[in-house]
Amino acid sequence: MGRLVSIRQMQLVDGCPVGASNGPVGASTIGKAPPWTSLDGFAEGDDGRTYSWRIVTAAVLAGTDPLGDSEGSVALADLAGLAVCITGGEPSLVVVDAPHFGPELLDALQYGPAWVRARVFYPLLTAAEQAWLDELEQRDADELVPRVVAALEAQLGVPLRVEADRATWAARIMLEVGYVISTDHLFSAFGPRFSIEAQELITAWLAERAPD
């Protein structure tokens, strides 16, 4: 991946400061920077792509052990004066063993070793790539939704009405006929035929069992 632009040009997506309002992300003077407990954001790389990143303090994770729970995690003895670990998986999560942190850590992650930068800053899809995937999923939805509704009606009856007690049954039927895209497509077209609770249960069930 290309070297990322200055931290001062990064944009925050979400952050939880402790006792301070959101200040300039690029401020490097200790005392002026907000003490973050968690921070998400994105930056543009020299290659023109957008990269996301996420940092959180160990306290926010409620005492869980990210190194013990995540295969491929790496502990860094010290980074910007803090004990840090980087979890496995994509995207990686940076966990800080401290009550809070400041932009010095962001600078250290950005301008530190290339392997750290490659683990922490995860490339997002370009607008063209996302548009292509959205179009592909819409084509799938146009073909899948009528087929799924027909299968549900065949087994659950007409007019179709799915309450919470039939949600798991409906989700199984949907998966059997190949429904592996977002449920937004189904519920935007046929939402009144599913209770709100049933929609939530079906979405959660499919999220756990549908293949990627």
Side-chain angles (χ1 to χ4, degrees), residues 144 147-149 151-152 155 162 167-183 186-187 194 202-203 205-206:
L144 273 172
R147 176 150 52 94
V148 164
V149 171
L152 290 171
Q155 297 196 46
V162 180
T168 299
W169 185 8
R172 291 183 187 277
I173 296 170
M174 292 169 62
L175 190 57
E176 286 174 0
V177 295
Y179 198 94
V180 294
I181 60 177
S182 170
T183 54
L186 173 65
F187 296 143
F194 301 81
I202 290 171
T203 299
W205 193 94
L206 289 174

PDB file of all heavy atoms in Angstrom, residues 144 147-149 151-152 155 162 167-183 186-187 194 202-203 205-206:
ATOM      1  N   LEU A 144     -33.906 -12.756  -7.013  1.00  0.00           N
ATOM      2  CA  LEU A 144     -34.094 -13.557  -5.807  1.00  0.00           C
ATOM      3  C   LEU A 144     -35.389 -13.249  -5.061  1.00  0.00           C
ATOM      4  O   LEU A 144     -36.067 -14.155  -4.574  1.00  0.00           O
ATOM      5  CB  LEU A 144     -32.912 -13.344  -4.852  1.00  0.00           C
ATOM      6  CG  LEU A 144     -31.689 -14.223  -5.044  1.00  0.00           C
ATOM      7  CD1 LEU A 144     -30.556 -13.748  -4.144  1.00  0.00           C
ATOM      8  CD2 LEU A 144     -32.013 -15.675  -4.740  1.00  0.00           C
ATOM      9  N   ARG A 147     -38.558 -15.001  -6.148  1.00  0.00           N
ATOM     10  CA  ARG A 147     -38.434 -16.446  -5.928  1.00  0.00           C
ATOM     11  C   ARG A 147     -38.581 -16.785  -4.450  1.00  0.00           C
ATOM     12  O   ARG A 147     -39.226 -17.786  -4.084  1.00  0.00           O
ATOM     13  CB  ARG A 147     -37.069 -16.919  -6.455  1.00  0.00           C
ATOM     14  CG  ARG A 147     -36.774 -18.376  -6.196  1.00  0.00           C
ATOM     15  CD  ARG A 147     -35.872 -18.969  -7.259  1.00  0.00           C
ATOM     16  NE  ARG A 147     -34.657 -18.209  -7.480  1.00  0.00           N
ATOM     17  CZ  ARG A 147     -33.495 -18.469  -6.872  1.00  0.00           C
ATOM     18  NH1 ARG A 147     -33.415 -19.452  -6.009  1.00  0.00           N
ATOM     19  NH2 ARG A 147     -32.427 -17.761  -7.146  1.00  0.00           N
ATOM     20  N   VAL A 148     -38.000 -15.957  -3.574  1.00  0.00           N
ATOM     21  CA  VAL A 148     -38.083 -16.203  -2.141  1.00  0.00           C
ATOM     22  C   VAL A 148     -39.513 -16.009  -1.643  1.00  0.00           C
ATOM     23  O   VAL A 148     -40.017 -16.807  -0.842  1.00  0.00           O
ATOM     24  CB  VAL A 148     -37.113 -15.265  -1.384  1.00  0.00           C
ATOM     25  CG1 VAL A 148     -37.439 -15.220   0.092  1.00  0.00           C
ATOM     26  CG2 VAL A 148     -35.681 -15.731  -1.587  1.00  0.00           C
ATOM     27  N   VAL A 149     -40.175 -14.972  -2.100  1.00  0.00           N
ATOM     28  CA  VAL A 149     -41.559 -14.723  -1.684  1.00  0.00           C
ATOM     29  C   VAL A 149     -42.454 -15.883  -2.118  1.00  0.00           C
ATOM     30  O   VAL A 149     -43.321 -16.342  -1.360  1.00  0.00           O
ATOM     31  CB  VAL A 149     -42.068 -13.392  -2.251  1.00  0.00           C
ATOM     32  CG1 VAL A 149     -43.567 -13.240  -1.999  1.00  0.00           C
ATOM     33  CG2 VAL A 149     -41.311 -12.230  -1.618  1.00  0.00           C
ATOM     34  N   ALA A 151     -41.531 -18.985  -2.534  1.00  0.00           N
ATOM     35  CA  ALA A 151     -41.222 -20.134  -1.681  1.00  0.00           C
ATOM     36  C   ALA A 151     -41.840 -19.971  -0.297  1.00  0.00           C
ATOM     37  O   ALA A 151     -42.346 -20.943   0.285  1.00  0.00           O
ATOM     38  CB  ALA A 151     -39.704 -20.289  -1.560  1.00  0.00           C
ATOM     39  N   LEU A 152     -41.818 -18.768   0.237  1.00  0.00           N
ATOM     40  CA  LEU A 152     -42.429 -18.516   1.549  1.00  0.00           C
ATOM     41  C   LEU A 152     -43.941 -18.723   1.485  1.00  0.00           C
ATOM     42  O   LEU A 152     -44.539 -19.321   2.386  1.00  0.00           O
ATOM     43  CB  LEU A 152     -42.095 -17.095   2.012  1.00  0.00           C
ATOM     44  CG  LEU A 152     -40.644 -16.823   2.401  1.00  0.00           C
ATOM     45  CD1 LEU A 152     -40.411 -15.332   2.631  1.00  0.00           C
ATOM     46  CD2 LEU A 152     -40.263 -17.609   3.651  1.00  0.00           C
ATOM     47  N   GLN A 155     -44.961 -22.401   1.511  1.00  0.00           N
ATOM     48  CA  GLN A 155     -44.855 -23.148   2.768  1.00  0.00           C
ATOM     49  C   GLN A 155     -45.580 -22.486   3.937  1.00  0.00           C
ATOM     50  O   GLN A 155     -45.994 -23.174   4.869  1.00  0.00           O
ATOM     51  CB  GLN A 155     -43.380 -23.338   3.126  1.00  0.00           C
ATOM     52  CG  GLN A 155     -42.615 -24.178   2.111  1.00  0.00           C
ATOM     53  CD  GLN A 155     -41.295 -24.676   2.651  1.00  0.00           C
ATOM     54  OE1 GLN A 155     -41.220 -25.178   3.777  1.00  0.00           O
ATOM     55  NE2 GLN A 155     -40.248 -24.536   1.846  1.00  0.00           N
ATOM     56  N   VAL A 162     -45.615 -13.054   8.260  1.00  0.00           N
ATOM     57  CA  VAL A 162     -44.612 -13.685   9.110  1.00  0.00           C
ATOM     58  C   VAL A 162     -44.474 -12.893  10.408  1.00  0.00           C
ATOM     59  O   VAL A 162     -44.059 -11.735  10.395  1.00  0.00           O
ATOM     60  CB  VAL A 162     -43.244 -13.769   8.400  1.00  0.00           C
ATOM     61  CG1 VAL A 162     -42.218 -14.444   9.310  1.00  0.00           C
ATOM     62  CG2 VAL A 162     -43.364 -14.504   7.080  1.00  0.00           C
ATOM     63  N   ALA A 167     -40.381 -16.604  12.318  1.00  0.00           N
ATOM     64  CA  ALA A 167     -39.240 -15.952  11.687  1.00  0.00           C
ATOM     65  C   ALA A 167     -38.123 -16.934  11.345  1.00  0.00           C
ATOM     66  O   ALA A 167     -37.562 -16.895  10.243  1.00  0.00           O
ATOM     67  CB  ALA A 167     -38.712 -14.841  12.591  1.00  0.00           C
ATOM     68  N   THR A 168     -37.781 -17.814  12.286  1.00  0.00           N
ATOM     69  CA  THR A 168     -36.703 -18.771  12.018  1.00  0.00           C
ATOM     70  C   THR A 168     -37.087 -19.713  10.887  1.00  0.00           C
ATOM     71  O   THR A 168     -36.259 -20.045  10.021  1.00  0.00           O
ATOM     72  CB  THR A 168     -36.373 -19.573  13.286  1.00  0.00           C
ATOM     73  OG1 THR A 168     -35.935 -18.674  14.308  1.00  0.00           O
ATOM     74  CG2 THR A 168     -35.267 -20.577  13.010  1.00  0.00           C
ATOM     75  N   TRP A 169     -38.329 -20.160  10.870  1.00  0.00           N
ATOM     76  CA  TRP A 169     -38.823 -21.015   9.792  1.00  0.00           C
ATOM     77  C   TRP A 169     -38.679 -20.298   8.446  1.00  0.00           C
ATOM     78  O   TRP A 169     -38.177 -20.857   7.462  1.00  0.00           O
ATOM     79  CB  TRP A 169     -40.280 -21.371  10.068  1.00  0.00           C
ATOM     80  CG  TRP A 169     -40.891 -22.346   9.105  1.00  0.00           C
ATOM     81  CD1 TRP A 169     -40.258 -23.054   8.111  1.00  0.00           C
ATOM     82  CD2 TRP A 169     -42.276 -22.715   9.033  1.00  0.00           C
ATOM     83  NE1 TRP A 169     -41.146 -23.842   7.426  1.00  0.00           N
ATOM     84  CE2 TRP A 169     -42.397 -23.662   7.974  1.00  0.00           C
ATOM     85  CE3 TRP A 169     -43.399 -22.357   9.762  1.00  0.00           C
ATOM     86  CZ2 TRP A 169     -43.622 -24.220   7.634  1.00  0.00           C
ATOM     87  CZ3 TRP A 169     -44.616 -22.925   9.427  1.00  0.00           C
ATOM     88  CH2 TRP A 169     -44.727 -23.851   8.376  1.00  0.00           C
ATOM     89  N   ALA A 170     -39.098 -19.022   8.423  1.00  0.00           N
ATOM     90  CA  ALA A 170     -38.999 -18.244   7.192  1.00  0.00           C
ATOM     91  C   ALA A 170     -37.545 -18.067   6.762  1.00  0.00           C
ATOM     92  O   ALA A 170     -37.221 -18.175   5.568  1.00  0.00           O
ATOM     93  CB  ALA A 170     -39.662 -16.883   7.387  1.00  0.00           C
ATOM     94  N   ALA A 171     -36.668 -17.806   7.718  1.00  0.00           N
ATOM     95  CA  ALA A 171     -35.253 -17.610   7.397  1.00  0.00           C
ATOM     96  C   ALA A 171     -34.649 -18.884   6.807  1.00  0.00           C
ATOM     97  O   ALA A 171     -33.833 -18.823   5.877  1.00  0.00           O
ATOM     98  CB  ALA A 171     -34.489 -17.174   8.638  1.00  0.00           C
ATOM     99  N   ARG A 172     -35.023 -20.037   7.343  1.00  0.00           N
ATOM    100  CA  ARG A 172     -34.520 -21.310   6.806  1.00  0.00           C
ATOM    101  C   ARG A 172     -34.965 -21.496   5.349  1.00  0.00           C
ATOM    102  O   ARG A 172     -34.187 -21.940   4.496  1.00  0.00           O
ATOM    103  CB  ARG A 172     -35.015 -22.478   7.663  1.00  0.00           C
ATOM    104  CG  ARG A 172     -34.404 -22.541   9.056  1.00  0.00           C
ATOM    105  CD  ARG A 172     -34.904 -23.763   9.818  1.00  0.00           C
ATOM    106  NE  ARG A 172     -34.454 -23.754  11.186  1.00  0.00           N
ATOM    107  CZ  ARG A 172     -33.262 -24.175  11.586  1.00  0.00           C
ATOM    108  NH1 ARG A 172     -32.390 -24.631  10.684  1.00  0.00           N
ATOM    109  NH2 ARG A 172     -32.923 -24.138  12.859  1.00  0.00           N
ATOM    110  N   ILE A 173     -36.218 -21.174   5.084  1.00  0.00           N
ATOM    111  CA  ILE A 173     -36.725 -21.279   3.716  1.00  0.00           C
ATOM    112  C   ILE A 173     -35.937 -20.346   2.791  1.00  0.00           C
ATOM    113  O   ILE A 173     -35.539 -20.731   1.680  1.00  0.00           O
ATOM    114  CB  ILE A 173     -38.227 -20.933   3.674  1.00  0.00           C
ATOM    115  CG1 ILE A 173     -39.036 -21.950   4.488  1.00  0.00           C
ATOM    116  CG2 ILE A 173     -38.726 -20.861   2.239  1.00  0.00           C
ATOM    117  CD1 ILE A 173     -40.484 -21.548   4.698  1.00  0.00           C
ATOM    118  N   MET A 174     -35.713 -19.127   3.248  1.00  0.00           N
ATOM    119  CA  MET A 174     -34.989 -18.153   2.440  1.00  0.00           C
ATOM    120  C   MET A 174     -33.587 -18.639   2.099  1.00  0.00           C
ATOM    121  O   MET A 174     -33.132 -18.519   0.953  1.00  0.00           O
ATOM    122  CB  MET A 174     -34.930 -16.820   3.179  1.00  0.00           C
ATOM    123  CG  MET A 174     -36.286 -16.130   3.318  1.00  0.00           C
ATOM    124  SD  MET A 174     -36.256 -14.722   4.453  1.00  0.00           S
ATOM    125  CE  MET A 174     -35.079 -13.644   3.634  1.00  0.00           C
ATOM    126  N   LEU A 175     -32.900 -19.204   3.096  1.00  0.00           N
ATOM    127  CA  LEU A 175     -31.536 -19.682   2.849  1.00  0.00           C
ATOM    128  C   LEU A 175     -31.536 -20.890   1.918  1.00  0.00           C
ATOM    129  O   LEU A 175     -30.652 -21.026   1.071  1.00  0.00           O
ATOM    130  CB  LEU A 175     -30.860 -20.028   4.178  1.00  0.00           C
ATOM    131  CG  LEU A 175     -29.360 -20.321   4.114  1.00  0.00           C
ATOM    132  CD1 LEU A 175     -28.599 -19.149   3.511  1.00  0.00           C
ATOM    133  CD2 LEU A 175     -28.818 -20.635   5.507  1.00  0.00           C
ATOM    134  N   GLU A 176     -32.538 -21.744   2.054  1.00  0.00           N
ATOM    135  CA  GLU A 176     -32.629 -22.935   1.200  1.00  0.00           C
ATOM    136  C   GLU A 176     -32.780 -22.582  -0.278  1.00  0.00           C
ATOM    137  O   GLU A 176     -32.291 -23.304  -1.145  1.00  0.00           O
ATOM    138  CB  GLU A 176     -33.804 -23.808   1.656  1.00  0.00           C
ATOM    139  CG  GLU A 176     -33.561 -24.560   2.950  1.00  0.00           C
ATOM    140  CD  GLU A 176     -34.801 -25.288   3.438  1.00  0.00           C
ATOM    141  OE1 GLU A 176     -35.850 -25.199   2.741  1.00  0.00           O
ATOM    142  OE2 GLU A 176     -34.732 -25.931   4.491  1.00  0.00           O
ATOM    143  N   VAL A 177     -33.446 -21.465  -0.550  1.00  0.00           N
ATOM    144  CA  VAL A 177     -33.629 -21.067  -1.958  1.00  0.00           C
ATOM    145  C   VAL A 177     -32.574 -20.067  -2.406  1.00  0.00           C
ATOM    146  O   VAL A 177     -32.681 -19.471  -3.476  1.00  0.00           O
ATOM    147  CB  VAL A 177     -35.047 -20.502  -2.204  1.00  0.00           C
ATOM    148  CG1 VAL A 177     -36.083 -21.578  -1.978  1.00  0.00           C
ATOM    149  CG2 VAL A 177     -35.307 -19.298  -1.325  1.00  0.00           C
ATOM    150  N   GLY A 178     -31.542 -19.867  -1.567  1.00  0.00           N
ATOM    151  CA  GLY A 178     -30.385 -19.086  -2.003  1.00  0.00           C
ATOM    152  C   GLY A 178     -30.379 -17.628  -1.666  1.00  0.00           C
ATOM    153  O   GLY A 178     -29.664 -16.842  -2.304  1.00  0.00           O
ATOM    154  N   TYR A 179     -31.151 -17.209  -0.653  1.00  0.00           N
ATOM    155  CA  TYR A 179     -31.162 -15.788  -0.302  1.00  0.00           C
ATOM    156  C   TYR A 179     -29.959 -15.470   0.578  1.00  0.00           C
ATOM    157  O   TYR A 179     -29.963 -15.734   1.783  1.00  0.00           O
ATOM    158  CB  TYR A 179     -32.454 -15.410   0.427  1.00  0.00           C
ATOM    159  CG  TYR A 179     -32.698 -13.912   0.413  1.00  0.00           C
ATOM    160  CD1 TYR A 179     -33.497 -13.335  -0.576  1.00  0.00           C
ATOM    161  CD2 TYR A 179     -32.115 -13.081   1.354  1.00  0.00           C
ATOM    162  CE1 TYR A 179     -33.718 -11.970  -0.612  1.00  0.00           C
ATOM    163  CE2 TYR A 179     -32.331 -11.712   1.322  1.00  0.00           C
ATOM    164  CZ  TYR A 179     -33.130 -11.156   0.337  1.00  0.00           C
ATOM    165  OH  TYR A 179     -33.335  -9.811   0.304  1.00  0.00           O
ATOM    166  N   VAL A 180     -28.911 -14.879  -0.011  1.00  0.00           N
ATOM    167  CA  VAL A 180     -27.682 -14.570   0.725  1.00  0.00           C
ATOM    168  C   VAL A 180     -27.301 -13.097   0.590  1.00  0.00           C
ATOM    169  O   VAL A 180     -26.197 -12.698   0.942  1.00  0.00           O
ATOM    170  CB  VAL A 180     -26.507 -15.452   0.248  1.00  0.00           C
ATOM    171  CG1 VAL A 180     -26.759 -16.904   0.597  1.00  0.00           C
ATOM    172  CG2 VAL A 180     -26.273 -15.282  -1.250  1.00  0.00           C
ATOM    173  N   ILE A 181     -28.222 -12.263   0.086  1.00  0.00           N
ATOM    174  CA  ILE A 181     -27.948 -10.833  -0.024  1.00  0.00           C
ATOM    175  C   ILE A 181     -28.629 -10.107   1.135  1.00  0.00           C
ATOM    176  O   ILE A 181     -29.280 -10.714   1.976  1.00  0.00           O
ATOM    177  CB  ILE A 181     -28.446 -10.275  -1.374  1.00  0.00           C
ATOM    178  CG1 ILE A 181     -29.960 -10.493  -1.516  1.00  0.00           C
ATOM    179  CG2 ILE A 181     -27.688 -10.912  -2.528  1.00  0.00           C
ATOM    180  CD1 ILE A 181     -30.550  -9.899  -2.788  1.00  0.00           C
ATOM    181  N   SER A 182     -28.494  -8.801   1.175  1.00  0.00           N
ATOM    182  CA  SER A 182     -29.074  -8.016   2.258  1.00  0.00           C
ATOM    183  C   SER A 182     -30.591  -8.164   2.283  1.00  0.00           C
ATOM    184  O   SER A 182     -31.254  -8.140   1.233  1.00  0.00           O
ATOM    185  CB  SER A 182     -28.709  -6.536   2.076  1.00  0.00           C
ATOM    186  OG  SER A 182     -29.441  -5.722   2.966  1.00  0.00           O
ATOM    187  N   THR A 183     -31.128  -8.296   3.494  1.00  0.00           N
ATOM    188  CA  THR A 183     -32.589  -8.403   3.625  1.00  0.00           C
ATOM    189  C   THR A 183     -33.290  -7.078   3.324  1.00  0.00           C
ATOM    190  O   THR A 183     -34.517  -7.047   3.219  1.00  0.00           O
ATOM    191  CB  THR A 183     -32.968  -8.858   5.049  1.00  0.00           C
ATOM    192  OG1 THR A 183     -32.357  -7.977   6.005  1.00  0.00           O
ATOM    193  CG2 THR A 183     -32.506 -10.282   5.305  1.00  0.00           C
ATOM    194  N   LEU A 186     -35.597  -7.366   0.326  1.00  0.00           N
ATOM    195  CA  LEU A 186     -36.860  -8.061   0.548  1.00  0.00           C
ATOM    196  C   LEU A 186     -37.833  -7.202   1.341  1.00  0.00           C
ATOM    197  O   LEU A 186     -38.999  -7.049   0.964  1.00  0.00           O
ATOM    198  CB  LEU A 186     -36.611  -9.379   1.280  1.00  0.00           C
ATOM    199  CG  LEU A 186     -37.859 -10.150   1.724  1.00  0.00           C
ATOM    200  CD1 LEU A 186     -38.656 -10.622   0.516  1.00  0.00           C
ATOM    201  CD2 LEU A 186     -37.467 -11.327   2.612  1.00  0.00           C
ATOM    202  N   PHE A 187     -37.338  -6.627   2.442  1.00  0.00           N
ATOM    203  CA  PHE A 187     -38.246  -5.901   3.334  1.00  0.00           C
ATOM    204  C   PHE A 187     -38.668  -4.544   2.776  1.00  0.00           C
ATOM    205  O   PHE A 187     -39.714  -4.020   3.160  1.00  0.00           O
ATOM    206  CB  PHE A 187     -37.599  -5.750   4.704  1.00  0.00           C
ATOM    207  CG  PHE A 187     -37.354  -7.068   5.398  1.00  0.00           C
ATOM    208  CD1 PHE A 187     -36.218  -7.263   6.169  1.00  0.00           C
ATOM    209  CD2 PHE A 187     -38.250  -8.105   5.267  1.00  0.00           C
ATOM    210  CE1 PHE A 187     -35.984  -8.471   6.800  1.00  0.00           C
ATOM    211  CE2 PHE A 187     -38.029  -9.324   5.891  1.00  0.00           C
ATOM    212  CZ  PHE A 187     -36.898  -9.506   6.660  1.00  0.00           C
ATOM    213  N   PHE A 194     -44.103  -8.785   6.984  1.00  0.00           N
ATOM    214  CA  PHE A 194     -43.244  -9.261   8.076  1.00  0.00           C
ATOM    215  C   PHE A 194     -43.345  -8.278   9.238  1.00  0.00           C
ATOM    216  O   PHE A 194     -43.227  -7.068   9.039  1.00  0.00           O
ATOM    217  CB  PHE A 194     -41.774  -9.346   7.626  1.00  0.00           C
ATOM    218  CG  PHE A 194     -41.537 -10.250   6.449  1.00  0.00           C
ATOM    219  CD1 PHE A 194     -41.778  -9.808   5.152  1.00  0.00           C
ATOM    220  CD2 PHE A 194     -41.056 -11.542   6.637  1.00  0.00           C
ATOM    221  CE1 PHE A 194     -41.544 -10.635   4.057  1.00  0.00           C
ATOM    222  CE2 PHE A 194     -40.827 -12.375   5.552  1.00  0.00           C
ATOM    223  CZ  PHE A 194     -41.071 -11.924   4.260  1.00  0.00           C
ATOM    224  N   ILE A 202     -35.055 -12.487  11.388  1.00  0.00           N
ATOM    225  CA  ILE A 202     -34.622 -13.069  10.113  1.00  0.00           C
ATOM    226  C   ILE A 202     -33.265 -12.513   9.702  1.00  0.00           C
ATOM    227  O   ILE A 202     -32.368 -13.254   9.288  1.00  0.00           O
ATOM    228  CB  ILE A 202     -35.676 -12.792   9.019  1.00  0.00           C
ATOM    229  CG1 ILE A 202     -36.932 -13.614   9.281  1.00  0.00           C
ATOM    230  CG2 ILE A 202     -35.113 -13.094   7.634  1.00  0.00           C
ATOM    231  CD1 ILE A 202     -38.101 -13.251   8.386  1.00  0.00           C
ATOM    232  N   THR A 203     -33.093 -11.205   9.821  1.00  0.00           N
ATOM    233  CA  THR A 203     -31.826 -10.572   9.448  1.00  0.00           C
ATOM    234  C   THR A 203     -30.676 -11.117  10.283  1.00  0.00           C
ATOM    235  O   THR A 203     -29.605 -11.443   9.756  1.00  0.00           O
ATOM    236  CB  THR A 203     -31.927  -9.045   9.609  1.00  0.00           C
ATOM    237  OG1 THR A 203     -32.961  -8.545   8.747  1.00  0.00           O
ATOM    238  CG2 THR A 203     -30.603  -8.376   9.250  1.00  0.00           C
ATOM    239  N   TRP A 205     -30.563 -14.010  11.950  1.00  0.00           N
ATOM    240  CA  TRP A 205     -30.365 -15.440  11.673  1.00  0.00           C
ATOM    241  C   TRP A 205     -29.560 -15.638  10.400  1.00  0.00           C
ATOM    242  O   TRP A 205     -28.623 -16.428  10.347  1.00  0.00           O
ATOM    243  CB  TRP A 205     -31.724 -16.124  11.574  1.00  0.00           C
ATOM    244  CG  TRP A 205     -31.680 -17.627  11.601  1.00  0.00           C
ATOM    245  CD1 TRP A 205     -31.819 -18.444  12.679  1.00  0.00           C
ATOM    246  CD2 TRP A 205     -31.496 -18.508  10.469  1.00  0.00           C
ATOM    247  NE1 TRP A 205     -31.733 -19.765  12.299  1.00  0.00           N
ATOM    248  CE2 TRP A 205     -31.533 -19.834  10.959  1.00  0.00           C
ATOM    249  CE3 TRP A 205     -31.304 -18.301   9.108  1.00  0.00           C
ATOM    250  CZ2 TRP A 205     -31.388 -20.941  10.126  1.00  0.00           C
ATOM    251  CZ3 TRP A 205     -31.149 -19.404   8.274  1.00  0.00           C
ATOM    252  CH2 TRP A 205     -31.183 -20.702   8.790  1.00  0.00           C
ATOM    253  N   LEU A 206     -29.917 -14.918   9.347  1.00  0.00           N
ATOM    254  CA  LEU A 206     -29.195 -15.046   8.089  1.00  0.00           C
ATOM    255  C   LEU A 206     -27.767 -14.525   8.194  1.00  0.00           C
ATOM    256  O   LEU A 206     -26.846 -15.080   7.582  1.00  0.00           O
ATOM    257  CB  LEU A 206     -29.936 -14.287   6.978  1.00  0.00           C
ATOM    258  CG  LEU A 206     -31.255 -14.908   6.513  1.00  0.00           C
ATOM    259  CD1 LEU A 206     -31.955 -13.988   5.508  1.00  0.00           C
ATOM    260  CD2 LEU A 206     -31.034 -16.278   5.894  1.00  0.00           C
TER     261      LEU A 206
END
